[in-house]
Amino acid sequence: MKLLLLTTFSLFVFTSFDQAESSYYDKIVTHSRIRAKTKGPNVCALQQVVGTKKKYFSTCRNWYRKSICGKKAMVLYECCPGYMSLDGTQGCPAVAPIDHVYSTLDIVGATTTQEYSDRSNLRKEIEGIGSFTFFAPSNEAWTILDSEVRNALLSNVNIELLNALHYHMVNKRLMTKDLKNGLTLQSMHDDQTLLINHYSNGVVTVNCARILLANQIATNGVVHMIDRVITAVGYTIEDFIENDEELLSLRAATTASGVLAKLGKKGHYTLFAPTNAAFDKLPQDVLQRILSDPVALKALLNYHILESVQCSEAIMSGSAYTTLEGSNIEIGCDGDSLTINGKKMVNRKDIVTTNGVIHLIDEVLIPDAAMQVLELTSDKQSTFYDLVKETGLSEALRADGEYTLLAPMNDAFTGNLVLSKMLHTWYSVSVIYWCLFKLHSNRIFVSRQAVCIENSCLIRGSKEGRNGIIHTIRKVVDPAKKSMLEILRADPRFTIFLSLMESADLLDLLIAEGSWTLFVPTDDVFESISPDEMEQLKSQYIVYIDVNNNINNLHLYSALHAE
């Protein structure tokens, strides 16, 4: 009877908490429960990365892709947090026993933390009266902890180990719904800070340690099991940059630009910090140009900073994030490695500070705003880039100028034998000159479907650099070299129209300066009408319209009605 009453009371308490305001974590767990509904009551479906022990209550995106961080993930079915299975029954019908925090450490499987609580004399405290939140490291978390650090803790259990365990505790019961993103908590070790992040994919971190199993209620608190041992944080991002020998180049750049001071203020930042080696990889002329240009330097540095904390354990797939510079970068993962814009370049991750997190990278990220306009060409525009270099026109692009480049795709230079033969002659200089400097004298045509310059239309994806903007175009710009009269005379389909224009003494119109739109009937159209209609047509007017919508009436009417 006592067991029945205890189980009923436990179910009531757990249900009360379960019905409280939910969080991203709680919603993901609910979806996991729905996915496993055929397996019995209170069963959750998880994904485990193949070849590892990493398990996740995963998002729909990861679930349907059957992968996490690009690695295959298999499905596991386990009891949802707070429940347990019973022999001979389907699913997990029983509520897990509720006891004090010390015993709850065993229930969640954090037996090493429980052992260390014994050895450090913390046991009496967490068995007694109180309301604690214990972020308990898993057994594996203690195993992967640096051996020197672990030995130092165990050599002084009454002070160092006790302090370390107290740093994992808060003197207040906090469920995942209370662990808001960006929340700062005071630990039970000298009120030192714990930094909470709660992400939309359901991941919750404490100093970038991921909560593996949450909300295990105890009579005197709650236990959340985490994937690593966390250490106290007492320095800002600015402090770290000023004292790390790997970041001497970054220190000089951020000091000169004024960005370093910002990283010493309160906030929630992620810094992708290029190492000295990363700066050394840059061509010296590029590096010196950026360092000597305050605007480009600030843009470059702000491109490495997010105004949010992105811990590595919260990244389960690629997503775009807006930098302080204003443009986006994509942060993703490939197994245990973080990727930036699709490349593995993070060599040290999750350096937690009081105002954010730092990831060290071995490449400098250069935004469009810090690049010269010609540098914005892609691999698909290499022919254009090479031509600009070979013809010497790149030297005319001053770093402090303002230019608009029309850069054709490589395909625009292929498949045309005449053009191919002329690429390395005066013609290439002429073509590139038009693409670089003559936009103001080119004709621009705008429709609902496209923007075209002369004979070539723009492709979506223009980029703005430090000294100009580059537009990708489909064809090599080929400005008109003939008048309308010359074009019509070269085409045998328009002989009747030209004879009528000549008889009306209007041929000068076809060579006059201006911007005209001319609708010209072909010979077939004229031949389709009767002689009487033709005579009537000659006696009426021609209407032509310029681009400014000025209408001018002349002696020949050329607009024929289609039957």
Side-chain angles (χ1 to χ4, degrees):
M1 178 62 70
K2 288 183 179 180
L3 180 60
L4 178 61
L5 288 174
L6 179 60
T7 302
T8 303
F9 175 73
S10 300
L11 180 61
F12 170 75
V13 171
F14 186 81
T15 303
S16 297
F17 280 108
D18 192 51
Q19 291 178 347
E21 179 188 357
S22 63
S23 64
Y24 285 124
Y25 173 87
D26 301 318
K27 291 175 182 177
I28 292 293
V29 171
T30 298
H31 281 293
S32 297
R33 186 194 294 260
I34 293 171
R35 290 179 185 128
K37 61 183 179 181
T38 60
K39 303 298 180 180
N42 307 315
V43 177
C44 283
L46 293 84
Q47 284 184 301
Q48 181 173 348
V49 180
V50 174
T52 74
K53 296 181 180 180
K54 283 190 169 186
K55 295 186 290 186
Y56 296 85
F57 296 106
S58 53
T59 63
C60 292
R61 181 180 181 182
N62 294 104
W63 180 263
Y64 289 110
R65 288 185 176 182
K66 300 180 180 180
S67 67
I68 294 173
C69 285
K71 303 300 180 183
K72 186 177 180 181
M74 59 184 181
V75 178
L76 298 178
Y77 296 98
E78 297 182 354
C79 291
C80 295
Y83 294 92
M84 59 184 293
S85 59
L86 295 176
D87 291 340
T89 61
Q90 185 185 23
C92 305
V95 175
I98 295 182
D99 206 338
H100 45 61
V101 168
Y102 177 80
S103 292
T104 304
L105 293 173
D106 181 61
I107 292 171
V108 299
T111 54
T112 302
T113 300
Q114 186 184 49
E115 176 193 343
Y116 290 170
S117 297
D118 254 335
R119 295 172 63 174
S120 63
N121 293 321
L122 179 64
R123 175 175 179 172
K124 185 177 180 181
E125 183 177 354
I126 58 178
E127 283 182 333
I129 298 173
S131 184
F132 308 111
T133 296
F134 201 150
F135 298 105
S138 65
N139 293 346
E140 186 178 2
W142 289 105
T143 301
I144 63 176
L145 181 65
D146 183 89
S147 59
E148 290 186 9
V149 175
R150 186 171 64 253
N151 291 337
L153 294 175
L154 296 178
S155 66
N156 191 349
V157 293
N158 292 325
I159 298 178
E160 296 298 334
L161 183 58
L162 181 61
N163 288 343
L165 292 173
H166 270 148
Y167 183 63
H168 288 73
M169 296 176 62
V170 177
N171 200 14
K172 180 182 180 180
R173 188 201 303 260
L174 296 165
M175 307 295 288
T176 49
K177 68 181 180 63
D178 305 310
L179 301 176
K180 308 295 185 183
N181 190 48
L183 179 66
T184 299
L185 300 173
Q186 304 303 313
S187 75
M188 291 177 62
H189 173 51
D190 293 340
D191 289 333
Q192 290 190 340
T193 301
L194 293 169
L195 305 174
I196 303 297
N197 286 98
H198 196 142
Y199 300 93
S200 59
N201 61 5
V203 172
V204 184
T205 62
V206 186
N207 287 15
C208 282
R210 180 168 68 95
I211 292 181
L212 302 175
L213 195 155
N215 299 333
Q216 189 65 48
I217 297 169
T219 56
N220 58 347
V222 64
V223 174
H224 307 289
M225 187 166 68
I226 59 177
D227 69 347
R228 71 186 76 170
V229 178
I230 56 177
T231 55
V233 176
Y235 49 81
T236 65
I237 295 177
E238 178 186 24
D239 296 331
F240 186 85
I241 293 174
E242 287 182 331
N243 291 281
D244 193 282
E245 293 301 310
E246 279 193 274
L247 302 178
L248 295 176
S249 298
L250 180 63
R251 184 191 314 167
T254 51
T255 301
S257 64
V259 172
L260 185 61
K262 181 180 181 65
L263 297 176
K265 297 177 181 178
K266 288 184 177 180
H268 303 277
Y269 302 110
T270 298
L271 171 65
F272 296 99
T275 61
N276 299 333
F279 278 97
D280 290 341
K281 289 180 182 179
L282 285 178
Q284 283 304 301
D285 59 332
V286 173
L287 179 59
Q288 291 307 315
R289 173 176 58 75
I290 294 176
L291 291 176
S292 62
D293 182 345
V295 175
L297 179 59
K298 191 168 185 178
L300 179 140
L301 294 171
N302 282 335
Y303 189 59
H304 291 75
I305 304 171
L306 308 179
E307 206 159 14
S308 62
V309 176
Q310 300 299 327
C311 298
S312 65
E313 283 298 319
I315 307 297
M316 297 171 65
S317 58
S319 296
Y321 298 85
T322 302
T323 66
L324 284 186
E325 182 268 332
S327 53
N328 290 347
I329 60 173
E330 182 176 287
I331 305 173
C333 49
D334 186 352
D336 289 332
S337 301
L338 278 184
T339 61
I340 303 175
N341 293 337
K343 296 179 65 176
K344 291 184 181 181
M345 60 176 72
V346 178
N347 57 42
R348 185 179 169 194
K349 55 190 179 182
D350 293 337
I351 302 169
V352 181
T353 69
T354 56
N355 61 345
V357 64
I358 302 170
H359 306 292
L360 299 191
I361 59 177
D362 55 18
E363 288 188 26
V364 177
L365 307 173
I366 305 181
D368 292 350
M371 298 173 72
Q372 293 290 286
V373 66
L374 188 59
E375 295 171 345
L376 297 176
T377 54
S378 69
D379 292 340
K380 295 181 180 179
Q381 296 162 309
S382 59
T383 303
F384 174 80
Y385 179 88
D386 292 341
L387 284 172
V388 175
K389 288 290 189 180
E390 290 174 18
T391 56
L393 290 173
S394 58
E395 297 176 6
L397 297 171
R398 303 188 316 275
D400 59 348
E402 292 185 5
Y403 304 97
T404 298
L405 270 63
L406 308 175
M409 304 287 281
N410 291 339
D411 291 347
F413 296 95
T414 60
N416 187 324
L417 295 178
V418 176
L419 180 58
S420 298
K421 292 177 181 179
M422 300 174 74
L423 279 181
H424 299 289
T425 67
W426 65 269
Y427 182 77
S428 65
V429 178
S430 175
V431 167
I432 303 306
Y433 185 75
W434 271 93
C435 290
L436 295 181
F437 306 112
K438 286 292 186 177
L439 180 61
H440 67 279
S441 60
N442 285 345
R443 294 172 299 174
I444 300 175
F445 307 97
V446 180
S447 69
R448 279 183 285 183
Q449 288 80 23
V451 175
C452 301
I453 299 171
E454 293 293 344
N455 63 312
S456 183
C457 294
L458 273 60
I459 299 174
R460 183 176 297 177
S462 299
K463 298 179 180 180
E464 186 170 2
R466 182 70 182 94
N467 64 337
I469 189 167
I470 185 169
H471 301 291
T472 300
I473 55 178
R474 298 184 185 278
K475 300 178 181 178
V476 174
V477 174
D478 189 12
K481 302 176 183 65
K482 297 180 180 180
S483 68
M484 289 193 290
L485 179 58
E486 291 173 307
I487 292 173
L488 292 172
R489 279 179 170 169
D491 195 321
R493 294 175 301 166
F494 303 115
T495 55
I496 297 177
F497 176 80
L498 288 175
S499 66
L500 290 173
M501 291 290 286
E502 185 176 6
S503 64
D505 198 21
L506 294 175
L507 287 180
D508 287 345
L509 172 66
L510 300 179
I511 58 174
E513 291 187 4
S515 298
W516 311 100
T517 298
L518 186 64
F519 299 92
V520 184
T522 64
D523 290 352
D524 290 341
V525 174
F526 284 111
E527 291 169 354
S528 68
I529 63 177
S530 68
D532 290 341
E533 288 176 317
M534 190 68 166
E535 289 301 320
Q536 184 182 6
L537 178 65
K538 289 179 181 180
S539 66
Q540 295 189 16
Y541 297 94
I542 181 170
V543 177
Y544 64 94
I545 306 172
D546 70 14
V547 293
N548 296 314
N549 294 320
N550 295 320
I551 300 178
N552 300 275
N553 293 317
L554 296 177
H555 296 291
L556 183 66
Y557 181 73
S558 68
L560 301 181
H561 298 285
E563 295 297 333

